[in-house]
Amino acid sequence: MNLPLMLLQQATETPSDVASRAAAAAGSSPVFWGILIGYFVVVLGFGSYFAKFNRSTADFFFGGRRFSWWLITMSIVATGVGSHSFVKYSAKSFENGFSGTMAYMNDWFFMPLFIFGWLPIVYYMKVRSIPEYFERRFNPFVRALATIVQLVYMLGYVGIGFLTMARTLQPIVGGALGWSLMDIIWVVAVVAGVYITFGGQTAVIFTDLLQGFILVFAGIMLFLLGLHWFGGFEAFWHALPPEFKLPLATFNDDPSFNFVGIFWQDAVAGSIAFLFMSQGLIMRFMACRSVDHGRKAAAFNVLFALPVSAVAVCCAGWIGRGMVNVEPGLLPESVEPDTVFVMVAQLLSSTAGFGFFVAAVTAALMSSVDTYINACAAIVINDIYKPIADWRGKSFNDKHYLRAAMMISALGTVTGVAAAWMFSKFDDLYTAHAFFQSTISPPLVACIFLGIFWRRFNSAGAVATFAGGVLLIIIGRTWPVEIIGLFSHGIPLPEGDQAPYTYIGALYNLVACFGIGIVVSLLTKPSANKLEGLTLWTISYARRFFKGGEPNDRPGFTLVATWEIDASLPEGTVQVDAEGLHHLAADEGDLVYICDRRWWLGGLRSAHAKLQGVHGLGETVVLSTEIAATGHFLEGRMVNVEKEF
């Protein structure tokens, strides 16, 4: 008996009974398990293979700063489309229609400030972590405060990812194997932890390339299957209520989902947090071969990838609502919103197809969790372990820190499991995510934003933003009606025990943090720290800092050459002949990028180097021993040489 017919016959059962019966049928299929287990094996294989490219902490955390924009773009897509995206946005789209995409289409709002301000600052100043920026911009105490907030933020996202995957798999695995929610969380955590612990950033980027394609393809395929079920787009469109066809939710009259609250939470607080304070995302951009490639990745993501991703993660909710209206009983109207994605995927696909869709959600989980686990390790090593070792006068080599990073990745995975258990106490994932993001991110968001774009913002203002901002947030959460209600834009109080002002609380939190930071900075002396390269107004200095000299922006051409090694060259240097120097429009001391000619590798076999003199060997680039090892170049393969500046 096929799955849709079985669901029809069980229409008198409760939604939870229907979901459990359908999930159990899938969970007993060898085909389903073959697809799901096969996916996990592939992921672990990626981690094992790319572990060989980790020769240093720079490789483990930043992938050697070598990758092309298109590879980084897919990695960003995979990071942004977490497993919680499929579940929570399908749920909100089932309840609110096309306005469910509202929270997913806002990153363009601050993108120009990111690509022309924050990105060149962190890249050219070689910032290894966001807390490190705070020490260089302010002082070590501010760095310590930022480190605490960053770790809580990253580990919280790891926990949300684990919980989402467990809730998705629980009806299937729980019915087939009898596993509890925490059992599933532990299994998922082990798989995610293994490949990120050994693979590092390179494994993350290349695994995310695969997973990014899988999850976008799965979402679009589900939408097309839904349109086929309805008999075409026109039939699907007429199946939706008129209010579901609007791109924005009601302004303020629905306390559970309203435009003004989502705007302040996602378009402002969420977008700034994702673009400016997410260590995981920043590490993606720092893995780019250049700032220009980072800008291309960011622009393509906003203009093309995000709209497609919005359809991919929301469409199950639209299809589910249309099913309720067209064929009552096939999908009960009272279905739990968080189960809509799984139930629609079950209804529209075979057992093998359903296995693929579950694998896609798994891909979304892995691509988000791997980012944040790797980011946690980067923060602990660069902002806690190394500073303490330096303070104690301990001297460790880079291999020691690389081993420590792997151990910390494993510990971060375990801590994420604990965070998942705490988030499991919330009624639904959207509320849990909204509460977490709007509470944790505002102090760090305010400090980063003011630090980048306001020279007058000083250390005292930063400390006040962290300490005073957190206190004001706690006060607002304690008396929401009296305090947050002043910023509510007329949003009514919810009925029952639901927490008031779930989303608009982000506005109050932002006003509190920005306000106290601005006031204290104006009342205290300007910072004595050198701001060169650390603000929007001093990026030209940052370029000189990155190169170690004046930039050379003369346009040149790509040099195609063979390569060989000269052990006498200083580390980090290469040589070309005089004609090659002229072809590149380069001078001695300029930065160049050497890359295997196979563009589809995305920069996997490449390295940056500094030109050191010339040779008379013709169309050959001579590499120092260290550059040859860093670039993982293959003998007999031609390389491209391009001048950076």
Side-chain angles (χ1 to χ4, degrees):
M1 184 180 296
N2 63 40
L3 184 56
L5 181 59
M6 183 173 62
L7 286 173
L8 279 169
Q9 291 180 343
Q10 300 297 331
T12 57
E13 298 179 354
T14 66
S16 60
D17 291 336
V18 174
S20 298
R21 183 181 295 274
S28 63
S29 169
V31 174
F32 172 84
W33 284 106
I35 293 173
L36 194 59
I37 293 174
Y39 171 78
F40 276 88
V41 170
V42 170
V43 168
L44 291 174
F46 263 67
S48 300
Y49 176 78
F50 288 107
K52 69 180 183 180
F53 290 90
N54 291 324
R55 295 178 180 268
S56 66
T57 52
D59 291 333
F60 190 81
F61 294 136
F62 309 121
R65 301 178 186 264
R66 70 181 73 187
F67 295 112
S68 298
W69 69 270
W70 59 267
L71 187 57
I72 298 298
T73 298
M74 289 308 302
S75 186
I76 294 170
V77 169
T79 298
V81 182
S83 56
H84 62 278
S85 298
F86 277 101
V87 175
K88 76 175 188 177
Y89 290 123
S90 291
K92 288 303 175 184
S93 296
F94 179 76
E95 296 174 321
N96 302 279
F98 288 131
S99 62
T101 64
M102 187 167 54
Y104 222 80
M105 301 289 286
N106 295 314
D107 280 32
W108 65 270
F109 200 79
F110 291 96
M111 187 56 70
L113 299 178
F114 173 80
I115 62 178
F116 296 111
W118 186 224
L119 174 60
I121 288 173
V122 296
Y123 195 96
Y124 288 139
M125 295 301 290
K126 302 178 183 179
V127 174
R128 293 169 297 178
S129 69
I130 291 174
E132 180 188 333
Y133 170 81
F134 280 97
E135 179 170 359
R136 293 163 72 171
R137 177 68 170 83
F138 304 110
N139 58 43
F141 182 65
V142 177
R143 178 179 187 171
L145 294 175
T147 299
I148 295 171
V149 176
Q150 271 284 306
L151 284 176
V152 172
Y153 181 79
M154 295 297 161
L155 290 171
Y157 266 94
V158 173
I160 288 175
F162 286 158
L163 176 61
T164 306
M165 191 68 252
R167 284 189 173 174
T168 302
L169 291 176
Q170 189 179 27
I172 306 164
V173 178
L177 303 178
W179 288 1
S180 68
L181 185 70
M182 289 306 299
D183 292 334
I184 301 170
I185 289 174
W186 275 112
V187 171
V188 170
V190 168
V191 175
V194 165
Y195 92 86
I196 186 58
T197 296
F198 295 101
Q201 188 70 201
T202 301
V204 169
I205 289 173
F206 275 89
T207 306
D208 283 358
L209 175 65
L210 169 67
Q211 295 177 152
F213 278 116
I214 288 176
L215 61 90
V216 172
F217 176 78
I220 298 302
M221 179 59 66
L222 187 63
F223 189 41
L224 294 177
L225 288 173
L227 294 182
H228 177 74
W229 186 89
F230 284 103
F233 182 83
E234 185 176 358
F236 160 73
W237 183 256
H238 288 299
L240 297 177
E243 64 272 15
F244 273 53
K245 301 174 184 178
L246 302 176
L248 302 177
T250 53
F251 181 75
N252 65 353
D253 60 1
D254 184 356
S256 64
F257 195 76
N258 49 78
F259 166 76
V260 66
I262 298 300
F263 173 80
W264 285 108
Q265 177 188 282
D266 286 313
V268 180
S271 291
I272 299 178
F274 186 70
L275 290 171
F276 289 82
M277 68 166 276
S278 174
Q279 176 71 21
L281 183 71
I282 292 301
M283 288 167 65
R284 285 292 192 281
F285 283 104
M286 287 191 284
C288 282
R289 54 169 286 189
S290 67
V291 169
D292 286 342
H293 274 248
R295 286 169 173 162
K296 289 178 182 177
F300 189 88
N301 184 54
V302 170
L303 296 175
F304 298 99
L306 279 179
V308 174
S309 300
V311 174
V313 300
C314 293
C315 66
W318 309 331
I319 294 168
R321 175 54 60 183
M323 286 179 168
V324 169
N325 295 336
V326 170
E327 193 169 344
L330 179 62
L331 187 69
E333 186 172 4
S334 57
V335 64
E336 290 294 330
D338 280 351
T339 69
V340 166
F341 174 81
V342 173
M343 295 188 71
V344 168
Q346 289 171 335
L347 285 166
L348 294 178
S349 60
S350 64
T351 302
F354 180 59
F356 170 74
F357 287 121
V358 173
V361 178
T362 305
L365 162 76
M366 294 296 183
S367 56
S368 297
V369 168
D370 58 17
T371 297
Y372 295 118
I373 292 175
N374 191 246
C376 287
I379 290 174
V380 172
I381 291 294
N382 294 320
D383 299 296
I384 299 177
Y385 193 32
K386 280 187 177 180
I388 291 177
D390 293 341
W391 176 69
R392 296 182 61 190
K394 298 288 186 179
S395 179
F396 299 114
N397 60 29
D398 198 69
K399 293 293 184 183
H400 172 87
Y401 289 116
L402 180 58
R403 290 192 298 269
M406 292 179 179
M407 295 175 61
I408 291 166
S409 295
L411 180 61
T413 303
V414 175
T415 308
V417 172
W421 176 80
M422 290 188 290
F423 284 122
S424 68
K425 306 302 178 183
F426 283 85
D427 293 334
D428 62 83
L429 287 167
Y430 197 91
T431 302
H433 184 253
F435 175 83
F436 172 73
Q437 179 172 271
S438 64
T439 302
I440 298 298
S441 62
L444 198 53
V445 162
C447 279
I448 290 176
F449 212 72
L450 291 173
I452 298 169
F453 300 110
W454 189 34
R455 295 172 63 100
R456 184 66 174 75
F457 188 55
N458 58 19
S459 300
V463 173
T465 301
F466 279 114
V470 170
L471 178 61
L472 291 174
I473 289 172
I474 293 173
I475 292 173
R477 290 293 183 186
T478 305
W479 294 284
V481 176
E482 295 81 2
I483 297 176
I484 300 179
L486 300 174
F487 299 81
S488 66
H489 292 69
I491 298 171
L493 292 173
E495 298 179 359
D497 297 329
Q498 183 182 348
Y501 309 130
T502 302
Y503 313 114
I504 200 65
L507 172 59
Y508 163 75
N509 296 343
L510 287 170
V511 170
C513 293
F514 273 93
I516 195 170
I518 292 171
V519 169
V520 171
S521 293
L522 291 174
L523 295 178
T524 53
K525 294 181 179 180
S527 176
N529 289 18
K530 294 181 179 180
L531 305 181
E532 285 86 353
L534 299 173
T535 68
L536 176 66
W537 322 109
T538 57
I539 289 177
S540 59
Y541 172 88
R543 295 184 76 222
R544 293 194 297 272
F545 175 86
F546 185 82
K547 180 180 178 180
E550 286 296 323
N552 173 8
D553 294 319
R554 298 196 310 271
F557 300 93
T558 299
L559 178 67
V560 180
T562 59
W563 65 275
E564 61 181 59
I565 299 174
D566 184 348
S568 66
L569 282 179
E571 284 190 1
T573 64
V574 299
Q575 289 182 338
V576 297
D577 67 352
E579 185 176 346
L581 204 66
H582 176 74
H583 192 76
L584 293 168
D587 301 317
E588 187 172 351
D590 285 349
L591 297 177
V592 293
Y593 177 73
I594 308 103
C595 181
D596 189 294
R597 295 201 69 205
R598 293 170 292 177
W599 65 267
W600 59 88
L601 292 179
L604 180 64
R605 298 186 183 276
S606 65
H608 290 87
K610 182 172 288 190
L611 287 172
Q612 179 78 23
V614 296
H615 61 66
L617 302 177
E619 296 180 351
T620 299
V621 56
V622 178
L623 314 176
S624 68
T625 304
E626 180 262 342
I627 289 296
T630 299
H632 305 281
F633 300 112
L634 298 177
E635 291 187 14
R637 288 283 183 180
M638 302 282 284
V639 295
N640 289 338
V641 183
E642 299 177 44
K643 183 191 70 178
E644 292 292 320
F645 58 86

